[in-house]
Amino acid sequence: MNAMKEIRVFAPASVANMGCGFDIMGMTLDAVGDVLKVEAVAGDGVEDGIRIENRSAADLPEDPERNVITPALRAFMALYGVPMSVKVTVEHKITPGSGIGSSAASSAAAVYGLNELLGRPFSDEQLVKFAMEGEKLISGGTPHADNVGPSLLGGVVLLRGYEPLDVVRLPVPERFCCTVAHPGIVVSTREARAVLPHEIPLRSAVSQWGNVGGLVAGLMSGDVELVGRSMRDVVAEPHRKRFIPGFDELRDAVIAAGALAMNISGAGPSVFALSSDMETAARVGEVMKSHFAGRGISSDIYVSKVSNRGARVLND
Ligand code: HSE
């Protein structure tokens, strides 16, 4: 490739952890996501470089070294091994800090777009590895793929292992709907990870892996009730729920409104609930909104189908 090429891509939002799957599971949302234009020129004599322009409404770091796109693309370009100049224009951005994989969608869209431009030199798994470099930047050094995996591949993504990376894509029963509430509280991923214990009691581990197994079995068999009762987290949630005012009361109200389960979305402070139809999902959104409003906290509500589609090229 010597002439400049360009492509517009979309990478969807995602919900990491899905309750019990801390750092190993995530699911893809429909419609909400990042839109990026990726332009590249590669070949002998081209000077290596990455430029990022923000045309979205989101407030992104001016310094490219603090933008997740940079380490993700750098990892891609290092392995590709041909000098390359890349420009990324962020056209639309999920609100940063909204707890639905905003940073992951940017890294996923950038590496996906560049891979498409270059004729797909890298596998899906390799793209997940590159995009994880962006997550490393914001999480305090621990790379995880439970947002970038779904954002790239769609559906529910299970990270069976990290060393070596083993990515398993699971089907999503068509009728799953997700409600996410993003309260106006700031909790960084770094802070939410810092409160976690380094060791957990065996009893908690037994409970957690029982739930992970139940969640996978429920997804594979389309048993929504089993999925709902498996989405319980005894590892991260007990330490993180203090960041979310009235978390236990909110969950009781959401379950009473008909949701199958409610948990923290990723590192929080957003929460998400899974329902088996859109009407329930919308009702749950109202319950969440009024819960936070009653505590003087504004919130943004997203109601979306869970999607089997990941990053994709946009045709103008
Ligand atoms: N699995 C991650 C966490 C998701 O819970 O910290 C947030 O990036």
Side-chain angles (χ1 to χ4, degrees), residues 16-17 22-23 135 144 146-147 189 193 240 266-267:
N17 298 346
F22 175 74
D23 274 1
E135 296 298 84
H144 48 273
D146 49 352
N147 283 116
T189 301
R193 292 183 82 83
R240 288 177 164 176

Side-chain angles (χ1 to χ4, degrees), residues 94-100 102 179-187 244 250 265 268-272 285 288-289 292 297-302:
I94 305 164
T95 310
S98 52
I100 50 172
S102 163
T179 312
V180 180
H182 172 216
I185 313 166
V186 178
V187 183
I244 301 161
L250 174 58
S265 175
S270 295
V271 293
F272 79 99
M288 289 174 169
K289 184 119 198 142
F292 288 115
I297 301 166
S298 64
S299 59
D300 295 321
I301 308 291
Y302 305 86

Side-chain angles (χ1 to χ4, degrees), residues 38 54 57 77 86 95 109 116 127 182 188 196 233 254 265 276:
V38 182
N54 178 23
M77 289 155 69
V86 182
T95 310
E116 290 294 307
L127 295 184
H182 172 216
S188 70
L196 300 178
D233 172 21
V254 158
S265 175
S276 54

Side-chain angles (χ1 to χ4, degrees), residues 26 44 49 55 66 74 78 98 177 181 198 219-220 225 236 263 274 282:
D44 290 340
R55 284 205 200 143
R66 289 181 51 230
R74 203 170 268 151
S98 52
C177 301
H198 290 274
L219 288 166
M220 298 305 289
E225 303 296 331
N263 290 101
L274 207 61

